[in-house]
Amino acid sequence: MNESVNNNSTESDEVESTRNFHEDMLGVEVAQLSPEEQAAVDALPQGNALLIVRKGPNKGSRFLLDSDLITVGRHPNADVFLDDVTVSRRHAEIRRVAGNFVVTDLASLNGTYYQGSRVETQELENESELQIGKYHFTFYSSKRVS
């Protein structure tokens, strides 16, 4: 009987160990900001936001969201120009609505993903993940004054 208890305890420890490892890996995946990136986020003017490429082409690139309408796509005139065949020429729009940013997919071939789920329209939350083609972004909004 003690052997059974030990087995359960060992299995439980292994599950807990795996869970901790998985959570540690997720923590690493949620990219920490470099001092330069943190300074850029801290310096964001009220009502603006920043997209930072975390994975994919141009990793580390930053895009300032400082107007009411931001176009995203492979078209050279896009505000957020993403030069990759996985991105449609007119892939998405990001609109500033009442101080928040909302992404809208423009019937792109590969879709727009928010936190891993395909979306048509989605309000962006601070430190959330946005994926367009091979580009994985983290969204950072300016600190709001209450």
Side-chain angles (χ1 to χ4, degrees):
M1 204 172 242
N2 286 339
E3 219 172 285
S4 174
V5 170
N6 288 342
N7 278 344
N8 288 341
S9 176
T10 301
E11 288 174 19
S12 175
D13 290 344
E14 288 174 6
V15 169
E16 183 64 29
S17 176
T18 302
R19 183 178 303 118
N20 289 340
F21 175 76
H22 184 269
E23 288 171 356
D24 290 344
M25 291 302 290
L26 286 177
V28 170
E29 189 65 34
V30 175
Q32 294 182 356
L33 295 173
S34 70
E36 182 181 301
E37 291 169 333
Q38 186 63 57
V41 170
D42 291 342
L44 281 171
Q46 184 65 26
N48 293 338
L50 192 65
L51 285 176
I52 300 177
V53 179
R54 291 290 172 211
K55 183 178 174 186
N58 303 328
K59 182 178 177 181
S61 295
R62 295 179 290 198
F63 297 94
L64 180 62
L65 308 179
D66 62 351
S67 62
D68 291 336
L69 174 64
I70 297 102
T71 57
V72 181
R74 201 176 74 241
H75 192 282
N77 292 337
D79 299 314
V80 177
F81 173 58
L82 304 175
D83 191 16
D84 190 86
V85 296
T86 61
V87 178
S88 297
R89 291 175 63 76
R90 294 190 65 237
H91 197 102
E93 292 178 343
I94 300 174
R95 291 186 180 271
R96 184 168 37 199
V97 179
N100 296 314
F101 288 88
V102 176
V103 65
T104 301
D105 185 79
L106 299 176
S108 65
L109 182 62
N110 291 322
T112 300
Y113 292 80
Y114 178 79
Q115 300 293 92
S117 297
R118 191 169 182 160
V119 295
E120 296 301 319
T121 299
Q122 176 67 50
E123 182 174 316
L124 301 174
E125 294 184 19
N126 195 38
E127 298 185 20
S128 59
E129 182 183 297
L130 179 66
Q131 181 184 347
I132 296 175
K134 291 181 181 178
Y135 296 82
H136 293 250
F137 300 93
T138 302
F139 172 81
Y140 295 96
S141 61
S142 63
K143 306 280 189 261
R144 297 213 166 108
V145 178
S146 17

